[in-house]
Coordinates of all heavy atoms in Angstrom, one line a residue:
M23 N -109.2 23.7 -203.1 CA -108.2 24.2 -202.1 C -109.0 25.1 -201.1 O -109.7 26.0 -201.5 CB -107.1 25.0 -202.7 CG -106.1 25.6 -201.7 SD -105.0 26.7 -202.4 CE -105.6 28.2 -201.8
P24 N -108.8 24.9 -199.8 CA -109.4 25.8 -198.8 C -108.8 27.2 -199.0 O -107.7 27.4 -199.4 CB -109.0 25.2 -197.5 CG -108.4 23.9 -197.7 CD -108.1 23.8 -199.2
K25 N -109.7 28.2 -198.8 CA -109.3 29.5 -198.9 C -109.1 30.3 -197.6 O -108.4 31.2 -197.5 CB -110.3 30.3 -199.8 CG -109.9 31.7 -200.1 CD -110.9 32.4 -201.1 CE -110.5 33.8 -201.3 NZ -111.5 34.5 -202.1
F26 N -109.9 29.9 -196.6 CA -109.9 30.6 -195.3 C -109.2 29.8 -194.3 O -109.3 28.5 -194.2 CB -111.4 30.8 -195.0 CG -112.1 31.6 -196.0 CD1 -112.8 31.0 -197.0 CD2 -112.1 33.0 -196.0 CE1 -113.5 31.7 -198.0 CE2 -112.7 33.7 -197.0 CZ -113.5 33.1 -198.0
A27 N -108.6 30.5 -193.3 CA -107.9 29.8 -192.2 C -107.9 30.7 -191.0 O -108.2 31.9 -191.0 CB -106.5 29.5 -192.6
L28 N -107.5 30.1 -189.9 CA -107.3 30.8 -188.6 C -105.9 30.3 -188.1 O -105.5 29.2 -188.2 CB -108.3 30.4 -187.6 CG -109.8 30.8 -187.9 CD1 -110.7 30.2 -186.9 CD2 -109.9 32.3 -187.8
Y29 N -105.2 31.3 -187.6 CA -103.9 31.0 -186.9 C -104.0 31.6 -185.5 O -104.3 32.9 -185.4 CB -102.7 31.6 -187.7 CG -101.4 31.4 -186.9 CD1 -100.9 30.1 -186.8 CD2 -100.8 32.5 -186.4 CE1 -99.7 29.9 -186.1 CE2 -99.6 32.3 -185.7 CZ -99.1 31.0 -185.5 OH -97.9 30.9 -184.8
V30 N -103.8 30.8 -184.5 CA -104.0 31.3 -183.1 C -102.7 30.9 -182.3 O -102.6 29.8 -181.8 CB -105.3 30.7 -182.4 CG1 -105.5 31.3 -181.0 CG2 -106.5 30.9 -183.3
P31 N -101.8 31.8 -182.2 CA -100.6 31.6 -181.3 C -101.0 31.6 -179.9 O -101.8 32.5 -179.5 CB -99.6 32.7 -181.7 CG -100.5 33.8 -182.2 CD -101.7 33.1 -182.8
L32 N -100.4 30.7 -179.1 CA -100.8 30.6 -177.6 C -99.5 30.5 -176.8 O -98.6 29.8 -177.2 CB -101.6 29.4 -177.4 CG -102.9 29.3 -178.2 CD1 -103.5 27.9 -178.1 CD2 -103.9 30.3 -177.6
K33 N -99.4 31.2 -175.7 CA -98.2 31.2 -174.8 C -98.7 30.7 -173.5 O -99.6 31.3 -172.8 CB -97.6 32.6 -174.7 CG -96.5 32.6 -173.7 CD -95.1 32.6 -174.4 CE -94.0 32.7 -173.4 NZ -93.0 31.7 -173.6
A34 N -98.2 29.5 -173.1 CA -98.6 28.9 -171.8 C -98.1 29.8 -170.6 O -97.0 30.3 -170.7 CB -98.1 27.5 -171.7
K35 N -98.9 29.8 -169.6 CA -98.4 30.4 -168.3 C -97.3 29.5 -167.8 O -97.3 28.2 -168.0 CB -99.5 30.5 -167.3 CG -100.4 31.6 -167.4 CD -101.4 31.7 -166.3 CE -102.2 32.9 -166.4 NZ -103.2 33.0 -165.3
P36 N -96.2 30.0 -167.1 CA -95.2 29.1 -166.6 C -95.8 28.0 -165.7 O -96.7 28.3 -164.9 CB -94.3 30.1 -165.8 CG -94.5 31.4 -166.4 CD -96.0 31.4 -166.9
G37 N -95.4 26.8 -166.0 CA -95.9 25.6 -165.2 C -97.2 25.0 -165.8 O -97.6 24.0 -165.3
K38 N -97.8 25.7 -166.8 CA -99.0 25.2 -167.3 C -98.9 24.5 -168.7 O -99.8 24.2 -169.4 CB -100.0 26.4 -167.5 CG -100.5 27.0 -166.2 CD -101.4 26.0 -165.5 CE -102.0 26.6 -164.2 NZ -103.0 25.7 -163.6
E39 N -97.6 24.3 -169.1 CA -97.4 23.7 -170.4 C -98.1 22.4 -170.7 O -98.7 22.2 -171.7 CB -95.9 23.6 -170.7 CG -95.1 24.9 -170.7 CD -94.7 25.4 -169.3 OE1 -95.0 24.8 -168.3 OE2 -94.1 26.5 -169.2
S40 N -98.0 21.5 -169.7 CA -98.6 20.2 -169.9 C -100.2 20.3 -169.9 O -100.9 19.6 -170.6 CB -98.2 19.2 -168.9 OG -98.6 19.6 -167.6
D41 N -100.7 21.3 -169.2 CA -102.1 21.5 -169.2 C -102.6 22.1 -170.5 O -103.7 21.7 -171.0 CB -102.5 22.5 -168.1 CG -102.3 22.0 -166.7 OD1 -102.4 20.7 -166.5 OD2 -102.0 22.8 -165.7
V42 N -101.8 22.9 -171.1 CA -102.1 23.5 -172.4 C -102.1 22.3 -173.5 O -103.1 22.2 -174.3 CB -101.2 24.6 -172.9 CG1 -101.4 25.0 -174.3 CG2 -101.4 25.8 -172.0
A43 N -101.1 21.5 -173.4 CA -101.0 20.4 -174.4 C -102.2 19.4 -174.2 O -102.8 19.0 -175.2 CB -99.7 19.6 -174.2
E44 N -102.6 19.2 -173.0 CA -103.7 18.3 -172.7 C -105.0 18.9 -173.2 O -105.9 18.3 -173.8 CB -103.8 18.0 -171.2 CG -104.9 17.1 -170.8 CD -104.9 16.8 -169.3 OE1 -103.9 16.6 -168.7 OE2 -106.0 16.8 -168.7
F45 N -105.2 20.2 -172.9 CA -106.4 20.9 -173.4 C -106.5 20.9 -174.9 O -107.6 20.5 -175.4 CB -106.3 22.4 -172.9 CG -107.4 23.2 -173.6 CD1 -108.7 23.1 -173.2 CD2 -107.0 24.1 -174.6 CE1 -109.7 23.9 -173.8 CE2 -108.0 24.9 -175.2 CZ -109.3 24.8 -174.9
L46 N -105.4 21.1 -175.6 CA -105.4 21.1 -177.1 C -105.8 19.7 -177.6 O -106.6 19.6 -178.5 CB -104.1 21.6 -177.6 CG -103.9 23.1 -177.4 CD1 -102.5 23.5 -177.9 CD2 -104.9 24.0 -178.1
T47 N -105.2 18.7 -177.0 CA -105.4 17.3 -177.4 C -106.9 17.0 -177.2 O -107.5 16.3 -178.0 CB -104.5 16.4 -176.7 OG1 -103.1 16.7 -176.9 CG2 -104.7 14.9 -177.1
S48 N -107.4 17.4 -176.0 CA -108.8 17.1 -175.7 C -109.8 17.8 -176.6 O -111.0 17.4 -176.7 CB -109.1 17.4 -174.2 OG -109.2 18.8 -174.1
A49 N -109.4 18.8 -177.3 CA -110.3 19.5 -178.2 C -110.6 18.8 -179.5 O -111.6 19.2 -180.2 CB -109.8 20.9 -178.5
L50 N -109.8 17.9 -179.8 CA -109.9 17.2 -181.1 C -111.3 16.6 -181.4 O -111.9 16.9 -182.5 CB -108.8 16.1 -181.3 CG -108.9 15.3 -182.6 CD1 -108.7 16.3 -183.8 CD2 -107.8 14.3 -182.6
P51 N -111.9 15.9 -180.5 CA -113.3 15.4 -180.8 C -114.3 16.5 -181.1 O -115.2 16.3 -181.9 CB -113.7 14.6 -179.5 CG -112.4 14.3 -178.9 CD -111.4 15.4 -179.2
L52 N -114.2 17.6 -180.4 CA -115.1 18.8 -180.7 C -114.9 19.3 -182.1 O -115.9 19.5 -182.8 CB -114.8 19.9 -179.7 CG -115.1 19.6 -178.2 CD1 -114.7 20.8 -177.4 CD2 -116.5 19.2 -178.0
V53 N -113.7 19.4 -182.6 CA -113.4 19.8 -183.9 C -113.9 18.8 -185.0 O -114.4 19.1 -186.0 CB -111.9 20.1 -184.1 CG1 -111.6 20.5 -185.5 CG2 -111.5 21.2 -183.2
Q54 N -113.7 17.5 -184.6 CA -114.1 16.5 -185.6 C -115.6 16.5 -185.8 O -116.1 16.1 -186.9 CB -113.7 15.1 -185.1 CG -112.2 14.9 -185.2 CD -111.7 13.6 -184.5 OE1 -112.2 13.2 -183.5 NE2 -110.7 13.0 -185.1
A55 N -116.4 17.1 -184.9 CA -117.8 17.1 -185.0 C -118.2 18.4 -185.9 O -119.4 18.5 -186.1 CB -118.5 17.2 -183.7
E56 N -117.3 19.2 -186.3 CA -117.6 20.4 -187.1 C -117.4 20.1 -188.6 O -116.3 20.0 -189.0 CB -116.7 21.5 -186.7 CG -116.8 22.0 -185.3 CD -115.9 23.1 -185.0 OE1 -115.0 23.4 -185.7 OE2 -116.1 23.7 -183.9
P57 N -118.5 19.9 -189.3 CA -118.3 19.5 -190.7 C -117.6 20.6 -191.6 O -116.9 20.2 -192.6 CB -119.7 19.3 -191.2 CG -120.6 20.0 -190.2 CD -119.9 20.0 -188.9
G58 N -117.7 21.8 -191.2 CA -117.0 22.9 -192.0 C -115.6 23.1 -191.7 O -114.9 23.8 -192.5
T59 N -115.0 22.5 -190.6 CA -113.6 22.6 -190.4 C -112.9 21.5 -191.1 O -113.0 20.3 -190.8 CB -113.3 22.5 -188.8 OG1 -114.1 23.5 -188.2 CG2 -111.9 22.7 -188.5
L60 N -112.1 21.9 -192.2 CA -111.5 20.9 -193.0 C -110.3 20.3 -192.4 O -110.1 19.1 -192.4 CB -111.1 21.5 -194.4 CG -112.3 22.1 -195.2 CD1 -111.8 22.8 -196.4 CD2 -113.3 21.0 -195.5
T61 N -109.4 21.1 -191.9 CA -108.2 20.7 -191.2 C -108.1 21.5 -189.9 O -108.5 22.6 -189.8 CB -106.9 20.8 -192.0 OG1 -106.7 22.2 -192.3 CG2 -107.0 20.0 -193.3
W62 N -107.5 20.8 -188.9 CA -107.3 21.5 -187.6 C -106.0 20.9 -187.0 O -105.8 19.7 -186.9 CB -108.4 21.2 -186.7 CG -108.4 21.9 -185.3 CD1 -108.8 23.1 -185.0 CD2 -107.9 21.3 -184.1 NE1 -108.6 23.4 -183.7 CE2 -108.0 22.3 -183.1 CE3 -107.4 20.1 -183.7 CZ2 -107.7 22.1 -181.8 CZ3 -107.0 19.8 -182.4 CH2 -107.1 20.8 -181.5
Y63 N -105.1 21.8 -186.7 CA -103.8 21.4 -186.2 C -103.6 22.1 -184.8 O -103.7 23.3 -184.7 CB -102.6 21.8 -187.1 CG -102.7 21.2 -188.5 CD1 -103.3 21.9 -189.5 CD2 -102.2 19.9 -188.7 CE1 -103.4 21.3 -190.8 CE2 -102.3 19.4 -190.0 CZ -102.9 20.1 -191.0 OH -103.0 19.5 -192.3
A64 N -103.2 21.3 -183.8 CA -102.7 21.8 -182.5 C -101.2 21.6 -182.5 O -100.7 20.5 -182.7 CB -103.4 21.1 -181.4
I65 N -100.5 22.7 -182.4 CA -99.0 22.7 -182.6 C -98.3 23.1 -181.3 O -98.7 24.0 -180.6 CB -98.7 23.7 -183.7 CG1 -99.4 23.5 -185.0 CG2 -97.1 23.8 -183.9 CD1 -99.5 24.6 -185.9
Q66 N -97.2 22.3 -181.0 CA -96.4 22.7 -179.9 C -95.1 23.2 -180.5 O -94.4 22.5 -181.2 CB -96.1 21.5 -179.0 CG -95.2 21.8 -177.8 CD -95.0 20.6 -176.9 OE1 -95.5 19.5 -177.1 NE2 -94.4 20.9 -175.7
E67 N -94.7 24.5 -180.3 CA -93.6 25.1 -180.9 C -92.3 25.0 -180.0 O -91.2 25.2 -180.4 CB -93.9 26.5 -181.2 CG -95.0 26.7 -182.2 CD -95.3 28.1 -182.6 OE1 -94.3 28.9 -182.7 OE2 -96.5 28.5 -182.8
G68 N -92.5 24.7 -178.7 CA -91.4 24.7 -177.7 C -91.4 26.0 -176.9 O -91.9 27.0 -177.3
G69 N -90.7 25.9 -175.8 CA -90.6 27.1 -174.9 C -91.9 27.6 -174.4 O -92.1 28.8 -174.2
G70 N -92.9 26.7 -174.2 CA -94.2 27.1 -173.8 C -95.1 27.8 -174.8 O -96.2 28.3 -174.5
E71 N -94.7 27.7 -176.1 CA -95.5 28.3 -177.2 C -96.2 27.2 -178.0 O -95.6 26.2 -178.3 CB -94.6 29.1 -178.1 CG -94.0 30.3 -177.3 CD -93.2 31.3 -178.2 OE1 -93.4 31.2 -179.4 OE2 -92.4 32.0 -177.6
Y72 N -97.4 27.5 -178.2 CA -98.3 26.6 -178.9 C -99.1 27.4 -180.0 O -99.0 28.6 -180.0 CB -99.3 25.9 -178.0 CG -98.7 25.1 -176.9 CD1 -98.1 25.7 -175.8 CD2 -98.5 23.8 -177.0 CE1 -97.5 25.0 -174.8 CE2 -97.9 23.0 -176.0 CZ -97.4 23.6 -174.9 OH -96.8 22.9 -173.9
A73 N -99.8 26.7 -180.8 CA -100.6 27.4 -181.8 C -101.7 26.4 -182.3 O -101.6 25.2 -182.2 CB -99.8 27.9 -183.0
I74 N -102.8 27.0 -182.8 CA -103.8 26.3 -183.5 C -103.9 26.9 -184.9 O -103.8 28.1 -185.1 CB -105.2 26.5 -182.8 CG1 -105.2 25.9 -181.4 CG2 -106.3 25.8 -183.7 CD1 -106.4 26.3 -180.6
F75 N -104.0 26.0 -185.9 CA -104.1 26.4 -187.3 C -105.2 25.5 -187.9 O -105.2 24.3 -187.8 CB -102.8 26.2 -188.1 CG -102.9 26.6 -189.5 CD1 -102.9 27.9 -189.9 CD2 -103.1 25.6 -190.5 CE1 -103.0 28.3 -191.2 CE2 -103.3 26.0 -191.8 CZ -103.2 27.3 -192.2
D76 N -106.2 26.1 -188.5 CA -107.3 25.4 -189.1 C -107.7 26.0 -190.4 O -107.5 27.2 -190.6 CB -108.5 25.1 -188.2 CG -108.7 26.3 -187.2 OD1 -108.3 27.4 -187.4 OD2 -109.4 26.0 -186.2
T77 N -108.4 25.2 -191.3 CA -108.8 25.7 -192.6 C -110.2 25.4 -192.9 O -110.8 24.5 -192.3 CB -107.9 25.0 -193.7 OG1 -108.2 23.6 -193.7 CG2 -106.4 25.3 -193.5
F78 N -110.8 26.2 -193.8 CA -112.2 26.2 -194.1 C -112.4 26.6 -195.6 O -111.7 27.3 -196.2 CB -113.0 27.2 -193.3 CG -112.6 27.2 -191.8 CD1 -111.5 28.0 -191.3 CD2 -113.3 26.4 -190.9 CE1 -111.1 27.9 -190.0 CE2 -112.9 26.3 -189.6 CZ -111.8 27.1 -189.1
D79 N -113.5 26.0 -196.2 CA -113.8 26.4 -197.6 C -114.5 27.7 -197.7 O -114.3 28.4 -198.7 CB -114.7 25.3 -198.2 CG -114.0 24.1 -198.7 OD1 -112.8 24.3 -199.2 OD2 -114.6 23.0 -198.8
T80 N -115.3 28.1 -196.7 CA -116.1 29.3 -196.7 C -115.9 30.2 -195.5 O -115.5 29.7 -194.4 CB -117.6 29.0 -196.9 OG1 -118.1 28.5 -195.7 CG2 -117.8 28.1 -198.1
E81 N -116.2 31.4 -195.6 CA -116.2 32.3 -194.5 C -117.3 31.9 -193.5 O -117.1 32.0 -192.3 CB -116.4 33.8 -194.9 CG -116.5 34.8 -193.8 CD -115.2 34.8 -192.9 OE1 -114.1 34.7 -193.5 OE2 -115.4 35.0 -191.7
D82 N -118.4 31.4 -193.9 CA -119.4 30.9 -193.0 C -118.9 29.8 -192.2 O -119.3 29.7 -191.0 CB -120.7 30.5 -193.8 CG -121.5 31.7 -194.4 OD1 -121.2 32.8 -193.9 OD2 -122.3 31.5 -195.3
D83 N -118.2 28.9 -192.8 CA -117.6 27.7 -192.0 C -116.6 28.2 -191.0 O -116.6 27.8 -189.8 CB -116.9 26.7 -192.9 CG -117.9 26.0 -193.8 OD1 -119.1 25.9 -193.5 OD2 -117.5 25.5 -194.9
R84 N -115.8 29.2 -191.3 CA -114.8 29.8 -190.4 C -115.6 30.5 -189.2 O -115.2 30.3 -188.1 CB -113.9 30.7 -191.1 CG -112.9 31.4 -190.1 CD -111.8 32.1 -190.8 NE -112.1 33.2 -191.7 CZ -111.3 33.9 -192.4 NH1 -110.0 33.6 -192.4 NH2 -111.7 34.9 -193.1
Q85 N -116.6 31.2 -189.6 CA -117.4 31.9 -188.5 C -118.1 30.9 -187.6 O -118.2 31.1 -186.4 CB -118.4 32.9 -189.2 CG -119.1 33.8 -188.2 CD -118.1 34.6 -187.4 OE1 -117.1 35.1 -188.0 NE2 -118.3 34.9 -186.2
A86 N -118.6 29.8 -188.2 CA -119.3 28.8 -187.4 C -118.3 28.2 -186.4 O -118.6 28.0 -185.2 CB -119.8 27.7 -188.2
H87 N -117.0 28.0 -186.8 CA -116.0 27.5 -185.9 C -115.7 28.5 -184.8 O -115.6 28.1 -183.6 CB -114.7 27.2 -186.7 CG -113.6 26.7 -185.8 ND1 -113.6 25.5 -185.3 CD2 -112.5 27.3 -185.4 CE1 -112.5 25.3 -184.6 NE2 -111.8 26.5 -184.7
L88 N -115.7 29.8 -185.1 CA -115.4 30.8 -184.1 C -116.4 31.0 -183.1 O -116.1 31.5 -182.0 CB -115.2 32.2 -184.8 CG -113.8 32.3 -185.6 CD1 -113.8 33.6 -186.4 CD2 -112.7 32.3 -184.6
V89 N -117.6 30.5 -183.3 CA -118.7 30.6 -182.3 C -119.0 29.2 -181.8 O -120.0 29.0 -181.1 CB -120.0 31.3 -182.9 CG1 -119.7 32.7 -183.2 CG2 -120.6 30.6 -184.0
G90 N -118.2 28.2 -182.1 CA -118.4 26.8 -181.7 C -117.8 26.5 -180.4 O -117.3 27.3 -179.6
K91 N -117.9 25.2 -180.1 CA -117.5 24.7 -178.8 C -116.0 24.8 -178.5 O -115.6 25.1 -177.4 CB -117.9 23.2 -178.6 CG -119.4 23.0 -178.6 CD -119.8 21.6 -178.4 CE -121.3 21.4 -178.4 NZ -121.7 20.0 -178.3
V92 N -115.2 24.7 -179.5 CA -113.7 24.8 -179.3 C -113.3 26.2 -178.9 O -112.6 26.4 -178.0 CB -112.9 24.3 -180.5 CG1 -111.4 24.5 -180.3 CG2 -113.2 22.8 -180.7
A93 N -113.9 27.2 -179.7 CA -113.6 28.6 -179.4 C -114.1 28.9 -178.0 O -113.4 29.6 -177.2 CB -114.2 29.5 -180.4
A94 N -115.3 28.5 -177.6 CA -115.8 28.8 -176.3 C -114.9 28.2 -175.2 O -114.6 28.8 -174.2 CB -117.2 28.2 -176.2
A95 N -114.5 26.9 -175.4 CA -113.6 26.3 -174.4 C -112.3 27.0 -174.3 O -111.7 27.2 -173.2 CB -113.4 24.8 -174.8
L96 N -111.7 27.5 -175.4 CA -110.5 28.2 -175.5 C -110.6 29.5 -174.6 O -109.7 29.8 -173.8 CB -110.1 28.5 -176.9 CG -108.8 29.3 -177.1 CD1 -107.6 28.4 -176.7 CD2 -108.6 29.7 -178.5
M97 N -111.7 30.2 -174.8 CA -111.8 31.5 -174.1 C -112.1 31.2 -172.6 O -111.7 32.0 -171.8 CB -112.9 32.3 -174.8 CG -112.6 32.7 -176.2 SD -110.9 33.2 -176.5 CE -111.0 34.9 -176.2
D98 N -112.8 30.1 -172.3 CA -113.1 29.8 -170.9 C -111.8 29.5 -170.1 O -111.7 29.8 -169.0 CB -114.0 28.6 -170.8 CG -115.5 29.0 -171.1 OD1 -115.8 30.2 -171.2 OD2 -116.3 28.0 -171.3
K99 N -110.8 28.8 -170.8 CA -109.6 28.4 -170.2 C -108.5 29.4 -170.3 O -107.4 29.3 -169.8 CB -109.1 27.1 -170.8 CG -110.0 25.9 -170.5 CD -109.8 25.5 -169.0 CE -110.4 24.1 -168.7 NZ -110.0 23.7 -167.4
A100 N -108.7 30.5 -171.1 CA -107.6 31.4 -171.4 C -106.9 32.0 -170.2 O -105.7 32.0 -170.1 CB -108.2 32.6 -172.3
E101 N -107.7 32.5 -169.2 CA -107.1 33.1 -168.1 C -106.3 32.1 -167.2 O -105.2 32.5 -166.7 CB -108.1 33.8 -167.2 CG -107.5 34.7 -166.1 CD -108.6 35.5 -165.4 OE1 -109.5 36.0 -166.1 OE2 -108.4 35.7 -164.2
E102 N -106.8 30.9 -167.1 CA -106.1 29.9 -166.4 C -104.8 29.4 -167.0 O -103.8 29.1 -166.3 CB -107.1 28.7 -166.2 CG -106.5 27.5 -165.5 CD -107.4 26.3 -165.5 OE1 -108.7 26.5 -165.7 OE2 -106.9 25.2 -165.4
L103 N -104.8 29.2 -168.3 CA -103.7 28.5 -169.0 C -102.7 29.4 -169.7 O -101.6 29.0 -169.9 CB -104.3 27.6 -170.1 CG -105.2 26.4 -169.5 CD1 -105.7 25.6 -170.7 CD2 -104.4 25.5 -168.6
F104 N -103.1 30.6 -170.2 CA -102.3 31.4 -171.1 C -101.7 32.6 -170.5 O -102.4 33.3 -169.7 CB -103.1 31.7 -172.4 CG -103.6 30.5 -173.0 CD1 -105.0 30.3 -173.2 CD2 -102.8 29.4 -173.5 CE1 -105.5 29.2 -173.8 CE2 -103.3 28.3 -174.0 CZ -104.7 28.2 -174.2
A105 N -100.5 33.0 -170.8 CA -99.8 34.1 -170.3 C -100.4 35.4 -170.8 O -100.3 36.5 -170.2 CB -98.3 34.1 -170.6
E106 N -101.1 35.3 -172.0 CA -101.8 36.5 -172.6 C -103.0 36.0 -173.3 O -103.1 34.8 -173.7 CB -100.8 37.2 -173.5 CG -100.2 36.3 -174.6 CD -99.0 37.0 -175.2 OE1 -98.1 37.5 -174.6 OE2 -99.0 37.0 -176.5
P107 N -104.0 36.8 -173.5 CA -105.2 36.4 -174.2 C -104.9 35.9 -175.6 O -104.0 36.4 -176.3 CB -106.1 37.6 -174.3 CG -105.6 38.5 -173.2 CD -104.1 38.2 -173.1
P108 N -105.6 34.8 -176.0 CA -105.4 34.3 -177.4 C -105.7 35.4 -178.4 O -106.7 36.1 -178.3 CB -106.4 33.1 -177.5 CG -106.7 32.7 -176.1 CD -106.6 34.0 -175.3
Q109 N -104.8 35.5 -179.4 CA -105.0 36.4 -180.6 C -105.4 35.5 -181.8 O -104.6 34.7 -182.2 CB -103.7 37.2 -180.8 CG -103.3 38.0 -179.7 CD -104.2 39.1 -179.3 OE1 -104.7 39.8 -180.2 NE2 -104.5 39.3 -178.1
I110 N -106.6 35.7 -182.2 CA -107.1 35.0 -183.3 C -106.9 35.7 -184.6 O -107.5 36.8 -184.8 CB -108.6 34.6 -183.1 CG1 -108.8 33.8 -181.9 CG2 -109.2 33.9 -184.4 CD1 -110.2 33.6 -181.4
H111 N -106.1 35.2 -185.5 CA -105.8 35.8 -186.8 C -106.5 35.1 -187.9 O -106.4 33.9 -188.2 CB -104.3 35.7 -187.1 CG -103.4 36.3 -186.0 ND1 -103.1 37.6 -186.0 CD2 -102.8 35.8 -185.0 CE1 -102.4 37.9 -185.0 NE2 -102.1 36.8 -184.3
K112 N -107.4 35.9 -188.6 CA -108.1 35.3 -189.8 C -107.1 35.5 -191.0 O -106.6 36.6 -191.2 CB -109.3 36.1 -190.0 CG -110.4 35.9 -189.0 CD -111.7 36.6 -189.4 CE -112.8 36.3 -188.5 NZ -114.1 37.0 -188.9
V113 N -106.8 34.5 -191.6 CA -105.9 34.5 -192.8 C -106.5 33.9 -194.0 O -107.4 33.1 -193.9 CB -104.5 33.8 -192.4 CG1 -103.8 34.5 -191.3 CG2 -104.7 32.4 -192.1
T114 N -106.0 34.3 -195.2 CA -106.4 33.8 -196.4 C -105.3 33.0 -197.0 O -104.1 33.4 -197.1 CB -106.7 35.0 -197.4 OG1 -107.8 35.8 -196.8 CG2 -107.2 34.5 -198.7
L115 N -105.6 31.8 -197.4 CA -104.6 30.9 -198.0 C -104.4 31.2 -199.5 O -105.4 31.3 -200.2 CB -105.0 29.4 -197.9 CG -105.2 29.0 -196.4 CD1 -105.7 27.6 -196.4 CD2 -103.9 29.1 -195.6
L116 N -103.2 31.4 -199.9 CA -102.9 31.7 -201.3 C -102.5 30.5 -202.1 O -102.8 30.5 -203.3 CB -101.8 32.8 -201.3 CG -102.1 34.1 -200.6 CD1 -100.8 35.0 -200.7 CD2 -103.3 34.8 -201.2
A117 N -101.9 29.5 -201.5 CA -101.5 28.3 -202.2 C -101.3 27.2 -201.2 O -101.0 27.5 -200.0 CB -100.2 28.6 -202.9
S118 N -101.5 26.0 -201.7 CA -101.3 24.8 -200.8 C -101.0 23.6 -201.7 O -101.2 23.6 -202.9 CB -102.5 24.6 -199.9 OG -103.6 24.1 -200.7
K119 N -100.5 22.6 -201.0 CA -100.2 21.3 -201.7 C -100.8 20.2 -200.9 O -100.7 20.2 -199.7 CB -98.7 21.1 -201.9 CG -98.4 19.8 -202.5 CD -96.9 19.6 -202.6 CE -96.6 18.2 -203.1 NZ -95.3 17.8 -203.2

């Protein structure tokens, strides 16, 4: 079972909702190229709210993701797409199925 995860809630700027959805969808190939990222979810919650949730076996894998291409692209687009800077939450998974 993966033990390490990231949760990144995102709030789109008004009128940028489709751009955020497109950006998140376009990031999938970058994540697929990361062997240490076990699962990666781009989530649309509604009302301009989105999130990213991903899981890792080790802290090193999580850290590699945080300095990888997806994180860099997210920070590059943050001012253009998001109402507030992305808040990256490092979480520990306690149980899963």
Side-chain angles (χ1 to χ4, degrees):
M23 175 190 110
K25 181 177 178 184
F26 302 93
L28 295 170
Y29 176 69
V30 185
L32 304 164
K33 177 101 174 129
K35 283 186 175 179
K38 293 288 187 177
E39 295 84 359
S40 64
D41 294 330
V42 170
E44 183 179 316
F45 168 75
L46 291 173
T47 302
S48 74
L50 181 59
L52 297 174
V53 176
Q54 289 173 325
E56 296 178 351
T59 302
L60 300 178
T61 61
W62 182 85
Y63 300 93
I65 303 161
Q66 183 175 6
E67 298 181 38
E71 295 187 20
Y72 299 81
I74 297 169
F75 180 79
D76 33 20
T77 64
F78 313 88
D79 275 333
T80 69
E81 178 60 36
D82 287 343
D83 290 337
R84 178 165 65 182
Q85 189 59 37
H87 178 73
L88 286 171
V89 298
K91 292 180 180 179
V92 175
L96 180 69
M97 299 318 269
D98 285 345
K99 292 285 193 175
E101 190 172 322
E102 174 189 341
L103 296 177
F104 306 118
E106 52 195 51
Q109 299 296 313
I110 299 171
H111 302 277
K112 290 182 175 182
V113 297
T114 301
L115 300 175
L116 300 177
S118 70
K119 176 181 175 186

